[in-house]
Each structure stands twice: as C-alpha cells, then as structure tokens.
Amino acid sequence: MSLQLTAPVHIAPNADQLYDDLAADLSRAATEAVRDRGLFHLALSGGSTPEPFYTRLVLDPRYRLLPWQAAHLWIVDDRRVPEDDQKSNVRMIRESLADHIDIKKRHVHAMPVMEDDPAGLYEAELRRAFEQGADDAPQRPPALDYVLLGMGEDAHTASLFPNSPALDEAERWIAVNDGPHVTPPDRVTMTYPLLNAARRIAVLVTGSKKSATLRRIEAALADGSADKSALPITGVQPCGDVMKWFLDAEAAGDTDN
Ligand code: 6PG
C-alpha cells in the first residue's frame, strides 16, 4: 500500500515501530544540527498523537542521549488558555517530555498565549534566540531545525484550520487564529512562512480515523484540486528534501498489517 502525498511517505506496521523510526530521524537531525551549528531548534505540536512519542523519547535509553543541553524547544501552536489548563499544549509537552530531559528551563519557549500580542512577543523571542535584529520589520523567517506536525481529520495542521484567517498570513511567523472556522478556544500558531523555512518537517499521523483524510489529500493532489484553504496541510510545502510523512499502517489504510 502506498500513498502519494506532498512529500515522501514512511509507513510503519504499527505505532510503536513508527515512534522508533521518527525518533531515529529526530536523533539524526539533532546530531547534525549540534555538529554544524552548535544548537538544535526543535518545534513540537500538541494534540493526542505525539504524546506517546514524547514519552518514548523520555523512557527509551537510546533517545535519552539526544543532545538536549543544546536544544531550544518551541511550540508549533497552542490554545489561548492558562498553562495549567488541560487543553494547553505546552502543559502536555512539559509533562510528557520537557520536565524529564536535560534541557535548560529557559530554552523551553512557551507561547505567551494569555498576553495581548502573543504573536509579536513570540516572534521577538525567536529573533532573540536566532540572533536576528530586534526591529519589527519583516525579515526572513529563521530555519527551525526540526518541526513535528500533526494533522486533524479536517486536514488542519498546527492551528491552521480550513478557511481560517491565519492561512493567509504571508509575512508574519506567528499568528493568532480565531473566528468561526477555528475550533475553540482561540489559538496562536506558527504560520506557513515559518513552517516552510524549516530544515526538516515530520508529519506524524496515526490511527484509522485519519485514513480517509489522507486519501482525500492524495486524490486532491492527483487531480490538481488540492488547495490549502480546504486542506491546510497541503500548504506546508518547504523547498527541497525537507518534509516527510510518518504514518502507521492504520492511518495509511493498510489493514493487512
Ligand atoms: C493541536 C495540534 C494540532 C494537532 C492536530 C491533530 O494542538 O491540536 O497542534 O495541529 O496536531 O489537531 O490532533 P490529534 O493528534 O489530537 O489528532
């Protein structure tokens, strides 16, 4: 069973194997980033799919050797709720991963979701970490070393929901996303310009519930009707060999496994 999506597709027979394959990819990227640039800028998604993967990174001795001391951890998107809310992505990422690894506390960059201008503040934090000028002029987005994305059944990724305003953001790196097309509560999200500037993007999708969405994306790509307004994940199109889909057999619709 193969799927033609926006980038190469890796299919593992089960979620457990998939987490190992993804962890190996992440480890390689981390090692290279630290070797070449001395730092590893990692951006992680929330949602339910990656949580067991984060736990695996903590518990499996092979991945405890990741160069966390040199890592900066960014959040792909979050809900505008206090950090102790069950719906907070950074809460889940801290509890499943960041609280248990050897990362500097100040290198865990929560989105300032409760502030008036979370997008501007988070961009400023990115600029500081990437040592870009502090002025407000639009600049080329920084290249995050590794971005882990998920996908909803409606083909949203990050908090880029079908037909929602943040899809049209062409300059800012971070946007608030709200309105009738956004599943509440309001969100703060990385935008296409920032995501598409990444050095590596992995899209993790597991479970049979996402299988029909992947088929819909495949069909839209094949007949040329794929459109980021309807299928936001198809707007993630970095140049070159940057992106890879990581699917388990259930998501891929491969029921023989
Ligand atoms: C979030 C995410 C979001 C997620 C998809 C898939 O906060 O919800 O960052 O983009 O990846 O909604 O969510 P599940 O993994 O829960 O299916």
Side-chain angles (χ1 to χ4, degrees):
M1 178 72 60
S2 75
L3 266 171
Q4 303 295 317
L5 298 174
T6 47
V9 178
H10 173 77
I11 303 174
N14 52 58
D16 246 19
Q17 180 62 49
L18 186 66
Y19 301 147
D20 277 337
D21 299 342
L22 180 60
D25 192 64
L26 178 72
S27 301
R28 261 195 309 276
T31 307
E32 275 173 32
V34 174
R35 184 196 62 207
D36 296 346
R37 293 176 294 283
L39 290 173
F40 178 51
H41 287 281
L42 170 64
L44 295 179
S45 288
S48 55
T49 308
E51 195 172 349
F53 172 66
Y54 300 154
T55 306
R56 171 70 65 91
L57 290 180
V58 169
L59 295 180
D60 192 316
R62 284 172 295 178
Y63 311 129
R64 294 195 65 85
L65 295 176
L66 273 155
W68 293 119
Q69 272 286 330
H72 281 258
L73 203 163
W74 302 92
I75 309 298
V76 168
D77 66 311
D78 215 336
R79 293 162 183 78
R80 298 193 76 179
V81 296
E83 217 181 289
D84 57 4
D85 192 293
Q86 278 305 307
K87 295 196 186 84
S88 161
N89 279 345
V90 74
R91 181 198 59 78
M92 181 279 275
I93 291 167
R94 283 192 204 279
E95 288 177 2
S96 59
L97 178 69
D99 287 351
H100 312 286
I101 54 179
D102 192 17
I103 190 168
K104 297 183 178 103
K105 291 271 176 283
R106 67 174 191 286
H107 286 182
V108 179
H109 303 277
M111 287 178 150
V113 288
M114 302 310 284
E115 302 290 336
D116 288 343
D117 179 19
L121 290 170
Y122 209 52
E123 283 178 5
E125 198 160 332
L126 279 160
R127 279 202 189 94
R128 275 194 299 277
F130 281 85
E131 295 177 352
Q132 295 194 358
D135 67 87
D136 276 345
Q139 301 177 36
R140 266 185 78 217
L144 294 160
D145 291 304
Y146 202 97
V147 178
L148 180 65
L149 295 176
M151 185 193 73
E153 284 174 63
D154 60 357
H156 83 264
T157 193
S159 283
L160 300 167
F161 289 89
N163 304 305
S164 64
L167 298 179
D168 297 321
E169 183 51 64
E171 272 186 357
R172 303 291 303 265
W173 310 341
I174 306 291
V176 168
N177 209 8
D178 54 19
H181 297 289
V182 171
T183 308
D186 294 351
R187 313 290 182 114
V188 182
T189 185
M190 292 189 173
T191 60
Y192 291 125
L194 179 59
L195 295 173
N196 285 332
R199 291 178 195 276
R200 182 119 188 104
I201 298 176
V203 188
L204 176 65
V205 185
T206 59
S208 55
K209 284 207 298 199
K210 307 274 174 77
S211 174
T213 312
L214 292 170
R215 294 285 156 202
R216 198 149 67 87
I217 293 170
E218 182 179 49
L221 290 167
D223 70 16
S225 67
D227 162 27
K228 72 175 170 42
S229 303
L231 300 168
I233 187 91
T234 63
V236 181
Q237 295 254 13
C239 294
D241 182 19
V242 165
M243 179 166 166
K244 194 169 191 173
W245 292 78
F246 287 82
L247 314 179
D248 68 353
E250 286 190 357
D254 186 352
T255 44
D256 296 342
N257 275 288

